[in-house]
Amino acid sequence: MRIAIVTGASSGIGRELLLAIDKEQELDEIWAIARRSDRLEELKEKCRNVIRPIPLDLGDLDQIDHIQRLLEEEKPQVHLLVNAAGCGVFGPFEEKDLKKQLASAQLNSLALTAMCHVCLPYMTNGDSIVNMGSNSSWQPVPYQTVYGASKSYVLSFSRALGRELKHRGVHVMVVCPGWIKTEFQAVAKHDEYIRYVDRWYEAWEVAQQAMKDLQKKKTVSILGAPVRNQVRLVKHLPVDLVMKIWCRQQGIE
């Protein structure tokens, strides 16, 4: 059995990536993982491949054991793993709820790491892993302290893992989008700390670009020339200056 596994599949970029995969790939099943079972059930009517809804909260790392057991029982070929589940907390680190910040770090980085580990035994030459990073992966982000750090982890982890798996023919790509109109922003955004956005992109645009870049075997997928130019610039500027510019843009310096 040849499958794809998509986390964060109920909304946002995860949902759009699943729909893009369904359109482009011939698979026996797509395992759709997210907390909201009703949203996952809706995907059955929208997709031509068989959708297996798996309602789990990957913020609880123990629930990844369920995925591991399914893989052990069915022994599928995981042709594509997409780790798109994530969340963030915006605002001053010391003022924000500790449990929510730790949950964000755990979902964004540790759950993603665990999913890669449990799926890799079922992947072979020609299979791929797509991990969700962020434009925040490239720099420290004050007032998104934990979120930015967790996404920097994803970028570093994905690059290193891709190098390790090169001899096996398993490709790893990290997606690093800019500002995206999704439910994530509705939950995480606080106008007090996020006042300046140079440009909004749509989730489907990110998914479309990611699928094109995956076909080209790119290791990093970035949508939009402005975002790519920003990444290039950040690499050459002192870190303190980058953070100063960010704070000034948001009017919080």
Side-chain angles (χ1 to χ4, degrees):
M1 183 168 66
R2 191 166 176 262
I3 70 169
I5 299 177
V6 182
T7 74
S10 63
S11 64
I13 299 174
R15 181 179 183 275
E16 294 300 330
L17 281 167
L18 185 147
L19 294 174
I21 292 165
D22 176 66
K23 185 181 294 185
E24 296 184 15
Q25 301 276 346
E26 295 289 343
L27 300 161
D28 294 301
E29 287 186 352
I30 300 177
W31 293 8
I33 302 173
R35 291 177 299 170
R36 293 172 290 188
S37 60
D38 56 331
R39 293 282 189 92
L40 299 180
E41 291 290 339
E42 290 172 3
L43 290 169
K44 290 181 177 180
E45 299 177 4
K46 296 180 179 294
C47 297
R48 61 192 183 93
N49 286 290
V50 175
I51 302 297
R52 183 188 295 202
I54 305 177
L56 294 175
D57 180 2
L58 295 183
D60 177 1
L61 295 181
D62 289 339
Q63 295 199 24
I64 294 174
D65 291 345
H66 178 72
I67 302 299
Q68 189 168 22
R69 286 194 295 271
L70 279 177
L71 291 169
E72 289 172 351
E73 290 169 3
E74 304 197 17
K75 295 180 172 55
Q77 176 193 353
V78 180
H79 179 61
L80 181 57
L81 167 64
V82 176
N83 285 304
C87 63
V89 178
F90 291 1
F93 172 76
E94 64 178 336
E95 295 178 11
K96 294 301 173 179
D97 182 79
L98 176 60
K99 289 185 178 179
K100 288 183 179 179
Q101 294 192 84
L102 292 178
S104 171
Q106 184 158 287
L107 179 60
N108 294 346
S109 56
L110 297 185
L112 176 149
T113 304
M115 285 298 298
C116 289
H117 197 271
V118 300
C119 289
L120 273 171
Y122 305 93
M123 304 185 81
T124 188
N125 183 39
D127 298 337
S128 301
I129 296 172
V130 176
N131 290 330
M132 187 54 57
S134 167
N135 199 26
S136 300
S137 299
W138 307 95
Q139 63 192 66
V141 188
Y143 304 95
Q144 296 180 34
T145 309
V146 173
Y147 176 77
S150 68
K151 292 302 184 179
S152 291
Y153 172 93
V154 173
L155 176 62
S156 178
F157 171 78
S158 299
R159 283 174 155 174
L161 181 63
R163 184 63 183 85
E164 287 187 19
L165 297 176
K166 192 173 182 179
H167 73 284
R168 284 184 51 189
V170 176
H171 183 69
V172 181
M173 184 179 77
V174 58
V175 181
C176 294
W179 294 101
I180 312 300
K181 290 182 180 179
T182 64
E183 289 182 19
F184 171 89
Q185 293 297 337
V187 172
K189 183 182 175 185
H190 296 284
D191 290 338
E192 185 178 356
Y193 303 107
I194 306 299
R195 298 172 181 170
Y196 170 80
V197 175
D198 53 356
R199 177 174 173 177
W200 288 103
Y201 293 92
E202 299 287 346
W204 66 266
E205 294 179 284
V206 178
Q208 188 177 70
Q209 184 68 52
M211 296 307 293
K212 288 179 182 177
D213 290 339
L214 186 62
Q215 289 179 353
K216 296 176 183 178
K217 298 296 181 183
K218 290 190 175 183
T219 57
V220 179
S221 176
I222 301 175
L223 171 66
V227 182
R228 289 192 290 272
N229 289 335
Q230 181 184 333
V231 169
R232 294 188 188 101
L233 184 61
V234 163
K235 290 179 180 179
H236 296 287
L237 293 177
V239 172
D240 285 346
L241 178 58
V242 171
M243 290 192 290
K244 183 177 182 179
I245 293 170
W246 162 259
C247 289
R248 183 173 295 172
Q249 287 175 331
Q250 305 308 330
I252 50 180
E253 185 176 27

